[in-house]
mmCIF file of all heavy atoms in Angstrom:
data_model
loop_
_atom_site.group_PDB
_atom_site.id
_atom_site.type_symbol
_atom_site.label_atom_id
_atom_site.label_comp_id
_atom_site.label_asym_id
_atom_site.label_seq_id
_atom_site.Cartn_x
_atom_site.Cartn_y
_atom_site.Cartn_z
ATOM 1 N N TRP V 1 0.832 -1.202 0.000
ATOM 2 C CA TRP V 1 0.000 0.000 0.000
ATOM 3 C C TRP V 1 0.868 1.254 0.000
ATOM 4 O O TRP V 1 0.537 2.248 -0.665
ATOM 5 C CB TRP V 1 -0.916 -0.003 1.219
ATOM 6 C CG TRP V 1 -1.917 1.115 1.234
ATOM 7 C CD1 TRP V 1 -3.191 1.088 0.735
ATOM 8 C CD2 TRP V 1 -1.725 2.430 1.757
ATOM 9 N NE1 TRP V 1 -3.806 2.314 0.918
ATOM 10 C CE2 TRP V 1 -2.919 3.160 1.543
ATOM 11 C CE3 TRP V 1 -0.662 3.074 2.376
ATOM 12 C CZ2 TRP V 1 -3.080 4.482 1.944
ATOM 13 C CZ3 TRP V 1 -0.811 4.402 2.777
ATOM 14 C CH2 TRP V 1 -2.005 5.087 2.562
ATOM 15 N N ILE V 2 1.987 1.238 0.740
ATOM 16 C CA ILE V 2 2.900 2.375 0.740
ATOM 17 C C ILE V 2 3.395 2.651 -0.676
ATOM 18 O O ILE V 2 3.512 3.804 -1.103
ATOM 19 C CB ILE V 2 4.092 2.117 1.689
ATOM 20 C CG1 ILE V 2 3.609 2.021 3.136
ATOM 21 C CG2 ILE V 2 5.166 3.184 1.540
ATOM 22 C CD1 ILE V 2 3.030 3.287 3.684
ATOM 23 N N SER V 3 3.667 1.607 -1.435
ATOM 24 C CA SER V 3 4.167 1.758 -2.804
ATOM 25 C C SER V 3 3.116 2.349 -3.744
ATOM 26 O O SER V 3 3.454 3.067 -4.690
ATOM 27 C CB SER V 3 4.618 0.404 -3.353
ATOM 28 O OG SER V 3 5.685 -0.118 -2.589
ATOM 29 N N ASN V 4 1.845 2.037 -3.483
ATOM 30 C CA ASN V 4 0.756 2.532 -4.331
ATOM 31 C C ASN V 4 -0.525 2.578 -3.499
ATOM 32 O O ASN V 4 -1.230 1.579 -3.382
ATOM 33 C CB ASN V 4 0.570 1.625 -5.543
ATOM 34 C CG ASN V 4 -0.569 2.089 -6.443
ATOM 35 O OD1 ASN V 4 -1.215 3.100 -6.188
ATOM 36 N ND2 ASN V 4 -0.829 1.327 -7.498
ATOM 37 N N PRO V 5 -0.855 3.733 -2.894
ATOM 38 C CA PRO V 5 -2.011 3.809 -1.996
ATOM 39 C C PRO V 5 -3.353 3.644 -2.694
ATOM 40 O O PRO V 5 -4.378 3.549 -2.021
ATOM 41 C CB PRO V 5 -1.882 5.219 -1.394
ATOM 42 C CG PRO V 5 -1.083 5.986 -2.385
ATOM 43 C CD PRO V 5 -0.122 5.004 -2.967
ATOM 44 N N ALA V 6 -3.357 3.575 -4.011
ATOM 45 C CA ALA V 6 -4.614 3.368 -4.743
ATOM 46 C C ALA V 6 -4.732 1.969 -5.323
ATOM 47 O O ALA V 6 -5.751 1.637 -5.924
ATOM 48 C CB ALA V 6 -4.726 4.397 -5.867
ATOM 49 N N GLY V 7 -3.691 1.141 -5.135
ATOM 50 C CA GLY V 7 -3.620 -0.088 -5.897
ATOM 51 C C GLY V 7 -3.947 -1.380 -5.185
ATOM 52 O O GLY V 7 -3.812 -2.459 -5.770
ATOM 53 N N ARG V 8 -4.381 -1.332 -3.906
ATOM 54 C CA ARG V 8 -4.535 -2.590 -3.167
ATOM 55 C C ARG V 8 -5.980 -3.033 -2.967
ATOM 56 O O ARG V 8 -6.228 -4.195 -2.643
ATOM 57 C CB ARG V 8 -3.875 -2.466 -1.792
ATOM 58 C CG ARG V 8 -2.405 -2.121 -1.827
ATOM 59 C CD ARG V 8 -1.619 -2.987 -2.783
ATOM 60 N NE ARG V 8 -1.732 -4.416 -2.470
ATOM 61 C CZ ARG V 8 -1.401 -5.391 -3.315
ATOM 62 N NH1 ARG V 8 -0.967 -5.105 -4.532
ATOM 63 N NH2 ARG V 8 -1.518 -6.646 -2.939
ATOM 64 N N HIS V 9 -6.939 -2.168 -3.149
ATOM 65 C CA HIS V 9 -8.317 -2.531 -2.804
ATOM 66 C C HIS V 9 -9.006 -3.371 -3.865
ATOM 67 O O HIS V 9 -10.132 -3.833 -3.649
ATOM 68 C CB HIS V 9 -9.117 -1.269 -2.500
ATOM 69 C CG HIS V 9 -8.678 -0.605 -1.222
ATOM 70 N ND1 HIS V 9 -8.963 -1.119 0.014
ATOM 71 C CD2 HIS V 9 -7.935 0.507 -1.004
ATOM 72 C CE1 HIS V 9 -8.436 -0.347 0.950
ATOM 73 N NE2 HIS V 9 -7.793 0.638 0.358
ATOM 74 N N ALA V 10 -8.340 -3.595 -4.984
ATOM 75 C CA ALA V 10 -8.846 -4.557 -5.968
ATOM 76 C C ALA V 10 -7.750 -5.542 -6.363
ATOM 77 O O ALA V 10 -7.870 -6.239 -7.368
ATOM 78 C CB ALA V 10 -9.369 -3.837 -7.205
ATOM 79 N N ALA V 11 -6.694 -5.611 -5.564
ATOM 80 C CA ALA V 11 -5.575 -6.501 -5.871
ATOM 81 C C ALA V 11 -5.901 -7.934 -5.471
ATOM 82 O O ALA V 11 -6.625 -8.190 -4.509
ATOM 83 C CB ALA V 11 -4.324 -6.026 -5.148
ATOM 84 N N THR V 12 -5.345 -8.895 -6.213
ATOM 85 C CA THR V 12 -5.562 -10.325 -5.931
ATOM 86 C C THR V 12 -4.244 -11.094 -5.936
ATOM 87 O O THR V 12 -4.230 -12.308 -6.125
ATOM 88 C CB THR V 12 -6.504 -10.940 -6.987
ATOM 89 O OG1 THR V 12 -5.912 -10.802 -8.283
ATOM 90 C CG2 THR V 12 -7.864 -10.255 -6.976
ATOM 91 N N ASP V 13 -3.119 -10.385 -5.697
ATOM 92 C CA ASP V 13 -1.806 -11.002 -5.882
ATOM 93 C C ASP V 13 -1.031 -11.202 -4.593
ATOM 94 O O ASP V 13 0.110 -11.672 -4.628
ATOM 95 C CB ASP V 13 -0.969 -10.147 -6.835
ATOM 96 C CG ASP V 13 -0.722 -8.736 -6.295
ATOM 97 O OD1 ASP V 13 -1.433 -8.326 -5.351
ATOM 98 O OD2 ASP V 13 0.173 -8.042 -6.818
ATOM 99 N N SER V 14 -1.594 -10.846 -3.423
ATOM 100 C CA SER V 14 -0.823 -10.923 -2.187
ATOM 101 C C SER V 14 -1.740 -11.151 -1.000
ATOM 102 O O SER V 14 -2.923 -10.776 -1.014
ATOM 103 C CB SER V 14 -0.017 -9.629 -1.982
ATOM 104 O OG SER V 14 0.578 -9.615 -0.698
ATOM 105 N N ALA V 15 -1.166 -11.734 0.058
ATOM 106 C CA ALA V 15 -1.936 -12.008 1.269
ATOM 107 C C ALA V 15 -2.303 -10.748 2.034
ATOM 108 O O ALA V 15 -3.103 -10.810 2.973
ATOM 109 C CB ALA V 15 -1.165 -12.964 2.182
ATOM 110 N N ASP V 16 -1.753 -9.571 1.667
ATOM 111 C CA ASP V 16 -2.212 -8.352 2.347
ATOM 112 C C ASP V 16 -3.657 -8.025 1.985
ATOM 113 O O ASP V 16 -4.272 -7.142 2.588
ATOM 114 C CB ASP V 16 -1.284 -7.169 2.067
ATOM 115 C CG ASP V 16 -1.329 -6.688 0.627
ATOM 116 O OD1 ASP V 16 -1.841 -7.416 -0.239
ATOM 117 O OD2 ASP V 16 -0.841 -5.566 0.372
ATOM 118 N N GLY V 17 -4.223 -8.763 1.032
ATOM 119 C CA GLY V 17 -5.646 -8.656 0.735
ATOM 120 C C GLY V 17 -6.526 -9.035 1.911
ATOM 121 O O GLY V 17 -7.726 -8.749 1.920
ATOM 122 N N VAL V 18 -5.953 -9.658 2.931
ATOM 123 C CA VAL V 18 -6.689 -10.000 4.154
ATOM 124 C C VAL V 18 -7.407 -8.772 4.706
ATOM 125 O O VAL V 18 -8.524 -8.878 5.223
ATOM 126 C CB VAL V 18 -5.716 -10.586 5.208
ATOM 127 C CG1 VAL V 18 -6.364 -10.641 6.584
ATOM 128 C CG2 VAL V 18 -5.265 -11.977 4.786
ATOM 129 N N VAL V 19 -6.778 -7.594 4.608
ATOM 130 C CA VAL V 19 -7.392 -6.385 5.146
ATOM 131 C C VAL V 19 -7.857 -5.423 4.062
ATOM 132 O O VAL V 19 -8.501 -4.427 4.373
ATOM 133 C CB VAL V 19 -6.410 -5.646 6.093
ATOM 134 C CG1 VAL V 19 -6.268 -6.392 7.401
ATOM 135 C CG2 VAL V 19 -5.059 -5.431 5.433
ATOM 136 N N MET V 20 -7.573 -5.700 2.792
ATOM 137 C CA MET V 20 -7.942 -4.740 1.756
ATOM 138 C C MET V 20 -8.870 -5.306 0.687
ATOM 139 O O MET V 20 -9.668 -4.571 0.126
ATOM 140 C CB MET V 20 -6.676 -4.148 1.139
ATOM 141 C CG MET V 20 -6.032 -3.117 2.069
ATOM 142 S SD MET V 20 -4.485 -2.414 1.480
ATOM 143 C CE MET V 20 -3.312 -3.572 2.180
ATOM 144 N N ASN V 21 -8.782 -6.576 0.381
ATOM 145 C CA ASN V 21 -9.691 -7.207 -0.577
ATOM 146 C C ASN V 21 -9.800 -8.697 -0.262
ATOM 147 O O ASN V 21 -9.304 -9.543 -1.013
ATOM 148 C CB ASN V 21 -9.208 -6.993 -2.016
ATOM 149 C CG ASN V 21 -10.180 -7.567 -3.046
ATOM 150 O OD1 ASN V 21 -11.364 -7.756 -2.763
ATOM 151 N ND2 ASN V 21 -9.677 -7.848 -4.243
ATOM 152 N N PRO V 22 -10.454 -9.055 0.841
ATOM 153 C CA PRO V 22 -10.508 -10.468 1.256
ATOM 154 C C PRO V 22 -11.094 -11.391 0.202
ATOM 155 O O PRO V 22 -10.629 -12.528 0.036
ATOM 156 C CB PRO V 22 -11.376 -10.421 2.518
ATOM 157 C CG PRO V 22 -11.229 -9.034 3.032
ATOM 158 C CD PRO V 22 -11.102 -8.179 1.827
ATOM 159 N N ALA V 23 -12.119 -10.933 -0.518
ATOM 160 C CA ALA V 23 -12.743 -11.797 -1.522
ATOM 161 C C ALA V 23 -11.785 -12.121 -2.657
ATOM 162 O O ALA V 23 -11.929 -13.153 -3.337
ATOM 163 C CB ALA V 23 -14.004 -11.132 -2.072
ATOM 164 N N GLY V 24 -10.791 -11.269 -2.889
ATOM 165 C CA GLY V 24 -9.820 -11.521 -3.943
ATOM 166 C C GLY V 24 -8.800 -12.581 -3.598
ATOM 167 O O GLY V 24 -8.076 -13.072 -4.478
ATOM 168 N N LEU V 25 -8.728 -12.987 -2.329
ATOM 169 C CA LEU V 25 -7.735 -13.986 -1.910
ATOM 170 C C LEU V 25 -7.979 -15.345 -2.551
ATOM 171 O O LEU V 25 -7.042 -16.137 -2.727
ATOM 172 C CB LEU V 25 -7.749 -14.119 -0.387
ATOM 173 C CG LEU V 25 -7.304 -12.875 0.401
ATOM 174 C CD1 LEU V 25 -7.565 -13.064 1.887
ATOM 175 C CD2 LEU V 25 -5.822 -12.581 0.147
ATOM 176 N N VAL V 26 -9.204 -15.624 -2.910
ATOM 177 C CA VAL V 26 -9.515 -16.923 -3.509
ATOM 178 C C VAL V 26 -9.046 -16.987 -4.973
ATOM 179 O O VAL V 26 -9.072 -18.058 -5.588
ATOM 180 C CB VAL V 26 -11.033 -17.193 -3.395
ATOM 181 C CG1 VAL V 26 -11.807 -16.422 -4.450
ATOM 182 C CG2 VAL V 26 -11.339 -18.677 -3.447
ATOM 183 N N ARG V 27 -8.583 -15.865 -5.513
ATOM 184 C CA ARG V 27 -8.057 -15.835 -6.872
ATOM 185 C C ARG V 27 -6.551 -16.111 -6.914
ATOM 186 O O ARG V 27 -5.967 -16.162 -7.998
ATOM 187 C CB ARG V 27 -8.343 -14.466 -7.516
ATOM 188 C CG ARG V 27 -9.832 -14.134 -7.596
ATOM 189 C CD ARG V 27 -10.602 -15.191 -8.353
ATOM 190 N NE ARG V 27 -12.056 -14.948 -8.336
ATOM 191 C CZ ARG V 27 -12.945 -15.765 -8.863
ATOM 192 N NH1 ARG V 27 -12.531 -16.895 -9.448
ATOM 193 N NH2 ARG V 27 -14.224 -15.486 -8.808
ATOM 194 N N MET V 28 -5.930 -16.288 -5.757
ATOM 195 C CA MET V 28 -4.511 -16.631 -5.720
ATOM 196 C C MET V 28 -4.329 -18.127 -6.028
ATOM 197 O O MET V 28 -5.293 -18.914 -6.034
ATOM 198 C CB MET V 28 -3.933 -16.300 -4.346
ATOM 199 C CG MET V 28 -4.024 -14.822 -3.977
ATOM 200 S SD MET V 28 -3.292 -14.410 -2.372
ATOM 201 C CE MET V 28 -1.537 -14.553 -2.771
ATOM 202 N N ASP V 29 -3.079 -18.539 -6.301
ATOM 203 C CA ASP V 29 -2.790 -19.943 -6.567
ATOM 204 C C ASP V 29 -3.018 -20.782 -5.311
ATOM 205 O O ASP V 29 -2.942 -20.278 -4.179
ATOM 206 C CB ASP V 29 -1.336 -20.115 -7.027
ATOM 207 C CG ASP V 29 -1.083 -19.453 -8.373
ATOM 208 O OD1 ASP V 29 -2.047 -19.271 -9.145
ATOM 209 O OD2 ASP V 29 0.098 -19.098 -8.636
ATOM 210 N N ASP V 30 -3.270 -22.060 -5.488
ATOM 211 C CA ASP V 30 -3.404 -22.959 -4.341
ATOM 212 C C ASP V 30 -2.102 -22.986 -3.543
ATOM 213 O O ASP V 30 -0.998 -22.975 -4.097
ATOM 214 C CB ASP V 30 -3.725 -24.384 -4.808
ATOM 215 C CG ASP V 30 -5.194 -24.543 -5.199
ATOM 216 O OD1 ASP V 30 -5.924 -23.526 -5.160
ATOM 217 O OD2 ASP V 30 -5.603 -25.666 -5.537
ATOM 218 N N GLY V 31 -2.253 -23.001 -2.216
ATOM 219 C CA GLY V 31 -1.089 -23.041 -1.346
ATOM 220 C C GLY V 31 -1.274 -22.137 -0.144
ATOM 221 O O GLY V 31 -2.349 -21.580 0.095
ATOM 222 N N VAL V 32 -0.200 -21.978 0.625
ATOM 223 C CA VAL V 32 -0.187 -21.087 1.795
ATOM 224 C C VAL V 32 0.647 -19.862 1.442
ATOM 225 O O VAL V 32 1.826 -19.980 1.100
ATOM 226 C CB VAL V 32 0.393 -21.796 3.032
ATOM 227 C CG1 VAL V 32 0.472 -20.824 4.208
ATOM 228 C CG2 VAL V 32 -0.442 -23.013 3.401
ATOM 229 N N HIS V 33 0.040 -18.707 1.548
ATOM 230 C CA HIS V 33 0.693 -17.457 1.190
ATOM 231 C C HIS V 33 0.897 -16.623 2.455
ATOM 232 O O HIS V 33 -0.061 -16.348 3.197
ATOM 233 C CB HIS V 33 -0.156 -16.674 0.196
ATOM 234 C CG HIS V 33 -0.490 -17.432 -1.042
ATOM 235 N ND1 HIS V 33 0.286 -17.382 -2.176
ATOM 236 C CD2 HIS V 33 -1.517 -18.289 -1.318
ATOM 237 C CE1 HIS V 33 -0.251 -18.150 -3.107
ATOM 238 N NE2 HIS V 33 -1.348 -18.719 -2.614
ATOM 239 N N LEU V 34 2.139 -16.205 2.696
ATOM 240 C CA LEU V 34 2.474 -15.392 3.863
ATOM 241 C C LEU V 34 2.990 -14.028 3.406
ATOM 242 O O LEU V 34 3.727 -13.927 2.418
ATOM 243 C CB LEU V 34 3.549 -16.072 4.710
ATOM 244 C CG LEU V 34 3.226 -17.471 5.235
ATOM 245 C CD1 LEU V 34 4.429 -18.034 5.998
ATOM 246 C CD2 LEU V 34 1.990 -17.457 6.129
ATOM 247 N N HIS V 35 2.594 -12.990 4.145
ATOM 248 C CA HIS V 35 3.066 -11.641 3.855
ATOM 249 C C HIS V 35 3.477 -10.969 5.160
ATOM 250 O O HIS V 35 2.707 -10.943 6.127
ATOM 251 C CB HIS V 35 1.963 -10.799 3.188
ATOM 252 C CG HIS V 35 2.336 -9.358 2.989
ATOM 253 N ND1 HIS V 35 2.729 -8.850 1.772
ATOM 254 C CD2 HIS V 35 2.392 -8.316 3.856
ATOM 255 C CE1 HIS V 35 3.009 -7.567 1.900
ATOM 256 N NE2 HIS V 35 2.810 -7.213 3.169
ATOM 257 N N PHE V 36 4.697 -10.418 5.174
ATOM 258 C CA PHE V 36 5.176 -9.645 6.321
ATOM 259 C C PHE V 36 5.611 -8.273 5.842
ATOM 260 O O PHE V 36 6.339 -8.147 4.857
ATOM 261 C CB PHE V 36 6.353 -10.335 7.007
ATOM 262 C CG PHE V 36 6.991 -9.484 8.084
ATOM 263 C CD1 PHE V 36 6.435 -9.424 9.347
ATOM 264 C CD2 PHE V 36 8.126 -8.735 7.809
ATOM 265 C CE1 PHE V 36 7.003 -8.618 10.335
ATOM 266 C CE2 PHE V 36 8.712 -7.935 8.786
ATOM 267 C CZ PHE V 36 8.141 -7.882 10.057
ATOM 268 N N SER V 37 5.154 -7.229 6.537
ATOM 269 C CA SER V 37 5.566 -5.867 6.231
ATOM 270 C C SER V 37 6.051 -5.177 7.498
ATOM 271 O O SER V 37 5.604 -5.505 8.607
ATOM 272 C CB SER V 37 4.395 -5.044 5.654
ATOM 273 O OG SER V 37 4.141 -5.360 4.320
ATOM 274 N N SER V 38 6.943 -4.221 7.325
ATOM 275 C CA SER V 38 7.336 -3.348 8.421
ATOM 276 C C SER V 38 7.510 -1.948 7.869
ATOM 277 O O SER V 38 8.017 -1.765 6.752
ATOM 278 C CB SER V 38 8.629 -3.816 9.079
ATOM 279 O OG SER V 38 8.973 -2.941 10.149
ATOM 280 N N GLN V 39 7.089 -0.956 8.672
ATOM 281 C CA GLN V 39 7.168 0.428 8.246
ATOM 282 C C GLN V 39 7.897 1.268 9.288
ATOM 283 O O GLN V 39 7.797 1.015 10.483
ATOM 284 C CB GLN V 39 5.765 1.002 8.050
ATOM 285 C CG GLN V 39 4.934 0.231 7.045
ATOM 286 C CD GLN V 39 3.525 0.760 6.955
ATOM 287 O OE1 GLN V 39 3.312 1.968 6.999
ATOM 288 N NE2 GLN V 39 2.563 -0.125 6.824
ATOM 289 N N SER V 40 8.603 2.253 8.817
ATOM 290 C CA SER V 40 9.239 3.261 9.670
ATOM 291 C C SER V 40 8.741 4.620 9.209
ATOM 292 O O SER V 40 8.728 4.906 8.006
ATOM 293 C CB SER V 40 10.764 3.199 9.572
ATOM 294 O OG SER V 40 11.240 1.931 9.990
ATOM 295 N N LEU V 41 8.356 5.453 10.175
ATOM 296 C CA LEU V 41 7.705 6.717 9.846
ATOM 297 C C LEU V 41 8.343 7.879 10.571
ATOM 298 O O LEU V 41 8.579 7.823 11.782
ATOM 299 C CB LEU V 41 6.225 6.650 10.242
ATOM 300 C CG LEU V 41 5.426 7.951 10.199
ATOM 301 C CD1 LEU V 41 5.152 8.342 8.768
ATOM 302 C CD2 LEU V 41 4.132 7.819 10.976
ATOM 303 N N TYR V 42 8.649 8.932 9.825
ATOM 304 C CA TYR V 42 9.040 10.210 10.408
ATOM 305 C C TYR V 42 7.874 11.165 10.186
ATOM 306 O O TYR V 42 7.585 11.555 9.053
ATOM 307 C CB TYR V 42 10.312 10.751 9.764
ATOM 308 C CG TYR V 42 10.643 12.154 10.210
ATOM 309 C CD1 TYR V 42 11.014 12.415 11.532
ATOM 310 C CD2 TYR V 42 10.575 13.220 9.317
ATOM 311 C CE1 TYR V 42 11.306 13.705 11.951
ATOM 312 C CE2 TYR V 42 10.864 14.513 9.726
ATOM 313 C CZ TYR V 42 11.226 14.747 11.046
ATOM 314 O OH TYR V 42 11.505 16.030 11.462
ATOM 315 N N ASN V 43 7.176 11.507 11.263
ATOM 316 C CA ASN V 43 5.924 12.252 11.153
ATOM 317 C C ASN V 43 5.911 13.384 12.172
ATOM 318 O O ASN V 43 5.362 13.250 13.258
ATOM 319 C CB ASN V 43 4.743 11.303 11.388
ATOM 320 C CG ASN V 43 3.423 11.925 10.976
ATOM 321 O OD1 ASN V 43 3.384 13.005 10.419
ATOM 322 N ND2 ASN V 43 2.345 11.230 11.266
ATOM 323 N N PRO V 44 6.534 14.515 11.868
ATOM 324 C CA PRO V 44 6.626 15.602 12.847
ATOM 325 C C PRO V 44 5.290 16.324 13.061
ATOM 326 O O PRO V 44 4.436 16.358 12.170
ATOM 327 C CB PRO V 44 7.655 16.543 12.223
ATOM 328 C CG PRO V 44 7.551 16.286 10.758
ATOM 329 C CD PRO V 44 7.220 14.829 10.607
ATOM 330 N N TYR V 45 5.132 16.872 14.246
ATOM 331 C CA TYR V 45 3.968 17.679 14.603
ATOM 332 C C TYR V 45 4.461 19.057 15.055
ATOM 333 O O TYR V 45 5.526 19.175 15.652
ATOM 334 C CB TYR V 45 3.191 17.054 15.759
ATOM 335 C CG TYR V 45 2.449 15.783 15.434
ATOM 336 C CD1 TYR V 45 3.116 14.597 15.184
ATOM 337 C CD2 TYR V 45 1.056 15.771 15.406
ATOM 338 C CE1 TYR V 45 2.431 13.430 14.904
ATOM 339 C CE2 TYR V 45 0.362 14.604 15.135
ATOM 340 C CZ TYR V 45 1.050 13.432 14.883
ATOM 341 O OH TYR V 45 0.373 12.276 14.611
ATOM 342 N N LYS V 46 3.620 20.067 14.828
ATOM 343 C CA LYS V 46 3.977 21.410 15.275
ATOM 344 C C LYS V 46 2.723 22.168 15.681
ATOM 345 O O LYS V 46 1.694 22.094 14.997
ATOM 346 C CB LYS V 46 4.714 22.168 14.162
ATOM 347 C CG LYS V 46 5.349 23.473 14.611
ATOM 348 C CD LYS V 46 6.215 24.065 13.509
ATOM 349 C CE LYS V 46 6.959 25.298 13.994
ATOM 350 N NZ LYS V 46 7.828 25.868 12.931
ATOM 351 N N ILE V 47 2.793 22.876 16.809
ATOM 352 C CA ILE V 47 1.688 23.690 17.309
ATOM 353 C C ILE V 47 2.189 25.116 17.455
ATOM 354 O O ILE V 47 3.214 25.358 18.089
ATOM 355 C CB ILE V 47 1.172 23.186 18.669
ATOM 356 C CG1 ILE V 47 0.784 21.707 18.588
ATOM 357 C CG2 ILE V 47 -0.017 24.016 19.134
ATOM 358 C CD1 ILE V 47 0.476 21.087 19.939
#
């Protein structure tokens, strides 16, 4: 999603569809698919 914030809600190519397009998961190949992501964020605030 970080790579393309518009491209995951109709995607059928990865297990991250668990939270973005669950119905598309059945279009993947037979087998067990695992996905791990990690993010680091620099997000400053100012008042």
